[in-house]
């Protein structure tokens, strides 16, 4: 289902040179703080995925949590956090992802997804796709099936979509 989400751009703030020079950070806190923009964003993500059966919705730390939790609630699915290294208290699976200088780790609890379960992955921004690609690998390590991946924003000029293995990807706002 297509929804015209273009007006949401009025609620995304561009922060030049954050967190470092040359990067324009897309600040979604105005979108989260506006009742209409927040509700519309959750409803649009739910509408994009409510046709397919989803057992779990994975949110990627930290802004992904904010979107994934209400989407999970609305879809009648469980919520699962994917976190940066060392934050989860129990047994974890890990996957490395590439940062501009070096690598970092994403972790998921080993029992957070059961074999055969259908998983929807949610994050706020698709940039190079490295974070989402590592999350796909975590789901597959646990024997889950990636049903789809959803973002509020997609920085299409970074071509992150091409790193997501042909999975079904939906983003509410695209920046060319
Ligand atoms: P990537 O792995 O390059 O796709 O980066 C995605 C992750 O980094 C997401 O969790 C985003 O929250 C964050 N991110 C990357 N680039 C930006 C940006 N320009 N503005 C806001 N968040 C970003």
């Amino acid at each position: 289902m297509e929804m015209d989400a273009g007006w949401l751009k009025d609620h995304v703030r561009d922060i030049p040179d954050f967190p470092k020079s040359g990067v324009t950070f897309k600040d979604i806190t105005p979108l989260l703080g506006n009742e209409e923009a927040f509700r519309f964003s959750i409803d649009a993500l739910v509408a994009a995925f409510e046709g397919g059966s989803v057992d779990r919705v994975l949110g990627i730390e930290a802004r992904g949590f904010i979107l994934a939790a209400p989407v999970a609630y609305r879809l009648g699915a469980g919520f699962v956090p994917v976190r940066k290294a060392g934050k989860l208290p129990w047994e974890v699976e890990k996957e490395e992802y590439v940062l501009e200088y070096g690598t970092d780790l994403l972790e998921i609890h080993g029992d957070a997804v059961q074999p055969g379960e259908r998983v929807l992955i949610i994050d706020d921004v698709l940039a190079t796709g490295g974070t989402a690609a590592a999350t796909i690998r975590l789901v597959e390590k646990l024997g889950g099936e990636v049903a789809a991946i959803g973002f509020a924003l997609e920085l299409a000029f970074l071509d992150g979509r091409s790193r997501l293995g042909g999975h079904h990807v939906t983003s509410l706002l695209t920046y060319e």
Side-chain angles (χ1 to χ4, degrees):
M1 176 173 166
E2 281 296 315
M3 287 197 196
D4 182 10
W7 63 276
L8 288 176
K9 283 191 180 176
D10 295 344
H11 298 279
V12 176
R13 183 162 50 198
D14 281 8
I15 312 287
D17 300 317
F18 183 89
K20 61 181 174 220
S21 176
V23 173
T24 300
F25 188 84
K26 297 291 186 190
D27 175 19
I28 64 162
T29 62
L31 181 154
L32 299 173
N34 179 275
E35 64 193 58
E36 284 174 25
F38 183 52
R39 186 182 337 110
F40 184 94
S41 299
I42 299 304
D43 287 349
L45 287 168
V46 168
F49 303 117
E50 65 190 351
S53 68
V54 170
D55 301 301
R56 313 262 184 176
V57 180
L58 266 62
I60 304 176
E61 184 172 355
R63 291 179 297 276
F65 294 171
I66 301 162
L67 301 171
V71 169
Y73 178 81
R74 285 279 312 277
L75 290 177
F79 168 78
V80 174
V82 171
R83 300 209 62 180
K84 309 277 167 63
K87 305 276 191 175
L88 286 170
W90 198 62
E91 293 167 16
V92 294
E93 291 288 348
K94 304 171 195 290
E95 273 292 330
E96 223 172 44
Y97 65 107
V98 177
L99 298 168
E100 194 168 351
Y101 303 109
T103 60
D104 211 341
L105 290 174
L106 283 179
E107 297 182 344
I108 190 170
H109 273 151
D111 63 351
V113 173
Q114 298 301 309
E117 283 186 338
R118 288 173 55 78
V119 171
L120 168 62
I121 297 169
I122 299 276
D123 202 1
D124 65 331
V125 174
L126 172 60
T128 67
T131 306
T135 304
I136 292 169
R137 295 195 299 275
L138 286 174
V139 171
E140 291 174 345
K141 263 187 177 171
L142 298 183
E145 185 190 333
V146 176
I149 312 170
F151 301 93
L153 276 64
E154 176 174 357
L155 307 181
F157 53 89
L158 296 174
D159 199 25
R161 204 174 260 258
S162 70
R163 299 183 65 188
L164 303 184
H167 288 291
H168 174 54
V169 176
T170 292
S171 44
L172 304 181
L173 287 174
T174 304
Y175 293 81
E176 302 292 348

